[in-house]
Amino acid sequence: MQISHNSFTLLAGAAASALILSACGGGSSSTPTPTAQAALTVTAASTTLDPSATTLLSVSGGSGTGATTYNATGACTVSGTTVTAASTGGACSVTATKAADSTYSAITSSALTVTVRAPQAALTVAAASTSLSAGGTTNLSTTGGSGAGAVTYQVTAGGCTVSAAVLTAPASVATCSVTATKAADGSSFAQATSSNTLTVTVTVPTTAFLTFDETTAPTLTAFSSAGTMAATIETDPAVSTNKVAKLVKSAGSDTWAGATISKCAYPTFSLPVIPLSAGKMTMSMKVYSTLANKVVRLKLEDASNNAITVETDATVTAANTWQTLTFNFASPATNGGNPTRSWTATDTLNKASVFPDYGNTAASTMYVDDLTFIGTSGVSQTCMTAPAAPTAAANVPTVAALKVIAVFSDTYTPVATGPFPTSWSNPSSGDNLAFSGNTARKLGSLVFAGLEPSATINASTYTKFNISVWASTGTSFKVKLVDFGANGTYQGGDDVEHELTFTAPTQNAWTYYSINLSDFTGLTTKANIAQIIMVGSGGDYYIDDIFFSKP
């Protein structure tokens, strides 16, 4: 049999090619089936959004290395992993897709619903009053808004405070800014802030005590024991139509040189009562100084009792311009490093003195204006009324002169005495009130007053101490007798004394006291009586006919 050489060659080649393809895994037309990914879940940091708010998306599950993308429909948009809510309310549907890779097929999550709250209607904040006095309160309210979210209020400036819906003003002048917020209502309405900012003005009520433009000009009384202190009412150096007080202190004047400013006749050197009280302890005064950085002291007193004082300092920081200084009497000034007297609730303060450039002896010129009480408006500017005074003399004593040692009297010849009252008394001076040859001694606003004979009195053989007293408003009267003992020296070791109290003296009438010396039980010796001390309890007292007597 004859075989063709060419045919054998072709068959052998085909077989070889088939063997090679089989060895390389080829030769078949089928491809592998991709594997399904694990379930894919999309989540959001928040599924309830306010209009235009954003939230971040993330996924869990899925398989492989395919990239994750997000898609949104409805009331939001998506960029990367960030969902942005629309400016109006509604629902938003978000899905995530994880792409296929060489092993896994693509997968898309179930849709996630994100709720977009609707914006509230415009919210407006208001107050029952937008003008408050310091420390005052007002009720806040809102109109507009939507839903049932709670309303809160915020103070953004000015120092006011808010509790619930009540706004409280600070203790000083201020301008307060207030906004309101209405909370979100579940998933229905977004939180809302008021479209307006409420302005509340806080003022401090004041009362002017001195302006120097009064129809009847105030009285200026300058004081200094050295140099020259001058106080006059002049034209304002800056405003020609205004009147002010000019205080000129010459070089070498006392550190405490100054001037008392008054406008009331009674008591002398007084003003209407300045009503300091807890929480209302400040006054203001305008000051124009030719020199900067100078201390001004303001001192208030009881014009009838110079032991009742309060004083404090303020500083002028600029020269040749008006500044309003605030004087806080809750912070007393110091003298020599020691604080001056503090205010008490029983003080009556109706006298004011100004000390320019306090603490220095150099020459200075200051102008002052508008002394004002801060804290209350409409403080009475009525001056105190002088208490009633006797219209007739006390009854003339009838004890025979030979049985009397008189200390103060027109009926009897008195022994020599020092000033009545003594310099250590309060008040430290008195006035005479004359009635047809009979003179009584006025002790204005008596606290205590002493009378000292020039030589001690021997009352050993006398049995009565006599005195006539007229009280305007006082509710008690005390008298003390002091014996200096055999050595006749104050606090010489053998002093004795005794004080008696008489309650409810007849007011606005003379009362004659004839007191048994034996009632002064502590006065164990009476041979060197050196002091007679009278004590009042408010108001004016008039004294006449002070004498010792015997049967």
Side-chain angles (χ1 to χ4, degrees):
M1 175 173 153
Q2 186 178 359
I3 300 173
S4 171
H5 175 74
N6 289 339
S7 297
F8 177 81
T9 301
L10 290 171
L11 290 170
S17 295
L19 289 171
I20 292 170
L21 288 170
S22 177
C24 293
S28 172
S29 60
S30 62
T31 51
T33 302
T35 303
Q37 295 188 40
L40 184 69
T41 302
V42 62
T43 58
S46 176
T47 57
T48 302
L49 297 179
D50 288 341
S52 301
T54 62
T55 190
L56 293 177
L57 298 172
S58 61
V59 293
S60 60
S63 306
T65 59
T68 300
T69 57
Y70 299 93
N71 182 62
T73 59
C76 65
T77 59
V78 66
S79 175
T81 60
T82 301
V83 170
T84 301
S87 60
T88 57
C92 171
S93 180
V94 179
T95 58
T97 298
K98 188 172 177 66
D101 62 10
S102 60
T103 304
Y104 297 98
S105 58
I107 188 170
T108 297
S109 68
S110 298
L112 171 70
T113 300
V114 176
T115 301
V116 180
R117 296 185 181 104
Q120 295 189 37
L123 183 69
T124 302
V125 61
S129 175
T130 56
S131 180
L132 295 180
S133 295
T137 62
T138 188
N139 291 324
L140 300 173
S141 61
T142 58
T143 55
S146 305
V151 174
T152 57
Y153 300 92
Q154 301 80 40
V155 176
T156 59
C160 292
T161 58
V162 65
S163 177
V166 178
L167 183 76
T168 301
S172 57
V173 173
T175 300
C176 295
S177 299
V178 182
T179 59
T181 300
K182 186 174 177 66
D185 181 7
S187 59
S188 300
F189 291 99
Q191 176 176 294
T193 299
S194 56
S195 58
N196 67 314
T197 296
L198 178 69
T199 298
V200 177
T201 302
V202 181
T203 58
V204 177
T206 61
T207 300
F209 272 73
L210 292 165
T211 66
F212 303 101
D213 291 309
E214 292 88 351
T215 302
T216 301
T219 299
L220 305 181
T221 306
F223 49 81
S224 180
S225 64
T228 302
M229 180 70 214
T232 54
I233 295 178
E234 305 287 349
T235 300
D236 185 330
V239 181
S240 61
T241 56
N242 187 41
K243 294 294 184 183
V244 299
K246 182 179 181 180
L247 308 178
V248 180
K249 184 176 178 180
S250 70
S253 295
D254 290 310
T255 58
W256 45 264
T260 297
I261 308 172
S262 58
K263 64 180 183 181
C264 295
Y266 178 85
T268 54
F269 308 117
S270 71
L271 295 171
V273 174
I274 299 167
L276 294 189
S277 63
K280 297 180 180 180
M281 294 290 290
T282 57
M283 297 191 77
S284 68
M285 184 171 64
K286 295 178 181 177
V287 179
Y288 181 108
S289 174
T290 57
L291 299 171
N293 301 315
K294 295 297 180 180
V295 172
V296 180
R297 177 164 293 190
L298 180 61
K299 181 178 183 179
L300 305 182
E301 301 177 60
D302 184 335
S304 300
N305 182 356
N306 59 17
I308 305 299
T309 66
V310 290
E311 49 193 292
T312 192
D313 297 334
T315 301
V316 179
T317 58
N320 299 315
T321 186
W322 282 104
Q323 289 186 300
T324 299
L325 303 187
T326 299
F327 296 86
N328 182 6
F329 292 98
S331 298
T334 58
N335 285 332
N338 298 313
T340 54
R341 180 183 177 276
S342 296
W343 171 84
T344 68
T346 58
D347 290 354
T348 296
L349 300 170
N350 57 349
K351 181 179 179 180
S353 299
V354 179
F355 302 81
D357 194 15
Y358 183 82
N360 290 320
T361 59
S364 67
T365 299
M366 289 188 182
Y367 301 84
V368 300
D369 197 10
D370 296 337
L371 180 63
T372 302
F373 176 70
I374 299 173
T376 304
S377 60
V379 174
S380 172
Q381 294 300 291
T382 301
C383 295
M384 294 179 69
T385 301
T391 56
N395 291 333
V396 176
T398 58
V399 181
L402 291 176
K403 298 180 179 182
V404 166
I405 299 176
V407 186
F408 178 83
S409 179
D410 287 320
T411 304
Y412 307 108
T413 301
V415 300
T417 66
F420 179 33
T422 59
S423 61
W424 45 263
S425 300
N426 187 359
S428 58
S429 62
D431 299 316
N432 288 330
L433 184 64
F435 301 98
S436 302
N438 191 0
T439 300
R441 192 66 166 163
K442 177 185 176 182
L443 302 174
S445 300
L446 174 63
V447 179
F448 61 89
L451 176 58
E452 297 177 329
S454 300
T456 60
I457 293 173
N458 184 355
S460 299
T461 62
Y462 288 76
T463 59
K464 296 279 189 179
F465 173 78
N466 307 272
I467 186 170
S468 292
V469 178
W470 193 99
S472 60
T473 59
T475 56
S476 69
F477 177 72
K478 301 178 183 180
V479 61
K480 178 190 288 187
L481 300 181
V482 182
D483 190 297
F484 281 179
N487 60 23
T489 303
Y490 175 61
Q491 292 186 339
D494 55 355
D495 297 12
V496 292
E497 63 182 48
H498 192 87
E499 182 179 79
L500 294 176
T501 299
F502 301 93
T503 59
T506 302
Q507 293 182 349
N508 300 324
W510 286 103
T511 300
Y512 175 61
Y513 295 98
S514 184
I515 309 163
N516 292 324
L517 282 173
S518 59
D519 291 344
F520 294 88
T521 54
L523 196 71
T524 54
T525 64
K526 303 177 183 66
N528 292 281
I529 293 177
Q531 291 179 337
I532 301 168
I533 301 173
M534 291 141 278
V535 179
S537 59
D540 295 343
Y541 287 73
Y542 293 80
I543 306 297
D544 201 1
D545 293 320
I546 303 174
F547 62 95
F548 296 90
S549 63
K550 59 185 176 181

